[in-house]
């Protein structure tokens, strides 16, 4: 009986050691694959920049869909802070400059003095431009470059996805409906940029 217990204990130890060795090898392979992918893509900076463009255009795409005949019940105004946090740095600084100030000035003038010439579909883009222009420099740069902006983007993506699935009548229906699949793909692309930022931060 004692020998049987000893053999069982020894077998368990060997199995545990083998599993630990396998997990260590998997971690090394995953890290090597990640480093290789980063090298091929020109480094982490290129991947982050490229995916920020993808995320921003996905959010803009969802806004356009919501303002066309494919209108949904999603709270698309949440895409404004998402775009704010995910805009590529070059485009972000361009819109915070003189160009963005002039666009914001014209939008405010039209909204105040010529409301009939200010269409409803310009409300959210106008709000985005105003947010980009008037956001304090400390808040804009500190939040965009820290994990706070990443978490906010993830929360917005999760909320929009669950609202879209609920409105579609289930996850399967969100891919089966002719209009729903466009929104589903657009929302799923919102997760690419914040997830990449989290992965690069952990690794």
């Amino acid at each position: 009986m004692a020998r049987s217990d000893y053999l069982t204990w020894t077998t368990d130890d060997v199995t545990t050691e083998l599993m630990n060795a396998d997990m260590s090898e998997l971690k090394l392979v995953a890290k090597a694959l990640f480093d290789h992918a980063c090298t091929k893509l020109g480094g982490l900076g290129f991947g982050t920049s490229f995916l920020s463009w993808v995320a921003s255009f996905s959010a803009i795409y969802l806004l356009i869909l919501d303002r066309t005949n494919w209108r949904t019940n999603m709270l698309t105004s949440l895409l404004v802070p998402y775009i704010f946090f995910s805009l590529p740095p070059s485009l972000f600084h361009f819109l915070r400059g003189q160009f963005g100030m002039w666009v914001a000035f014209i939008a405010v003038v039209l909204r105040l003095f010529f409301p009939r010439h200010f269409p409803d579909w310009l409300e959210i883009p106008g709000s985005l431009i105003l947010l980009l222009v008037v956001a304090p420099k400390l808040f804009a740069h500190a939040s965009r470059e820290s994990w706070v902006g990443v978490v906010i983007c993830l929360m917005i993506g999760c909320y929009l996805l669950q609202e879209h699935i609920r409105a579609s009548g289930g996850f399967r229906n969100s891919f089966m409906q002719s209009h729903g699949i466009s929104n589903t793909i657009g929302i799923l692309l919102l997760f690419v940029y914040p997830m990449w930022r989290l992965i690069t931060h952990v690794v």
Side-chain angles (χ1 to χ4, degrees):
M1 183 69 179
R3 181 170 178 78
S4 176
D5 291 341
Y6 172 76
L7 290 174
T8 303
W9 177 75
T10 304
T11 304
D12 290 342
D13 278 353
V14 171
T15 304
T16 303
E17 289 178 3
L18 288 174
M19 289 181 64
N20 290 335
D22 290 340
M23 290 300 296
S24 299
E25 289 181 6
L26 281 175
K27 289 179 181 178
L28 290 174
V29 170
K31 192 174 187 311
L33 180 63
F34 181 79
D35 293 339
H36 179 70
C38 292
T39 303
K40 290 294 183 182
L41 290 174
L44 295 177
F46 176 80
T48 303
S49 177
F50 174 74
L51 293 178
S52 67
W53 281 98
V54 172
S56 299
F57 278 114
S58 299
I60 294 170
Y61 168 74
L62 290 172
L63 284 177
I64 294 173
L65 283 183
D66 189 63
R67 296 300 163 178
T68 60
N69 294 329
W70 294 10
R71 185 178 294 274
T72 63
N73 294 323
M74 291 189 304
L75 188 61
T76 49
S77 57
L78 287 174
L79 291 171
V80 171
Y82 182 93
I83 296 173
F84 177 84
F85 289 116
S86 65
L87 268 181
S90 57
L91 187 57
F92 179 78
H93 292 300
F94 174 73
L95 293 176
R96 276 179 67 87
Q98 290 297 318
F99 176 80
M101 292 180 184
W102 276 104
V103 172
F105 173 73
I106 294 171
V108 170
V109 169
L110 286 176
R111 188 69 181 86
L112 288 177
F113 302 108
F114 307 99
R116 293 182 180 179
H117 298 281
F118 194 84
D120 293 338
W121 59 269
L122 276 179
E123 290 284 348
I124 292 183
S127 302
L128 174 61
I129 292 295
L130 283 173
L131 179 62
L132 289 169
V133 171
V134 304
K137 187 175 181 179
L138 178 63
F139 169 78
H141 293 281
S143 59
R144 278 173 50 85
E145 295 172 3
S146 68
W147 58 269
V148 175
V150 176
V151 171
I152 292 175
C153 288
L154 278 176
M155 291 174 62
I156 291 173
C158 291
Y159 176 78
L160 292 178
L161 181 62
Q162 67 95 13
E163 285 296 313
H164 175 60
I165 292 174
R166 181 184 300 174
S168 300
F171 185 76
R172 184 177 181 181
N173 290 336
S174 64
F175 283 95
M176 299 296 291
Q177 296 175 359
S178 58
H179 297 334
I181 189 170
S182 300
N183 288 303
T184 304
I185 293 173
I187 294 172
L188 290 177
L189 287 175
L190 296 180
F191 290 92
V192 175
Y193 171 70
M195 290 299 295
W196 173 261
R197 286 284 304 273
L198 284 179
I199 291 172
T200 54
H201 179 72
V202 171
V203 175

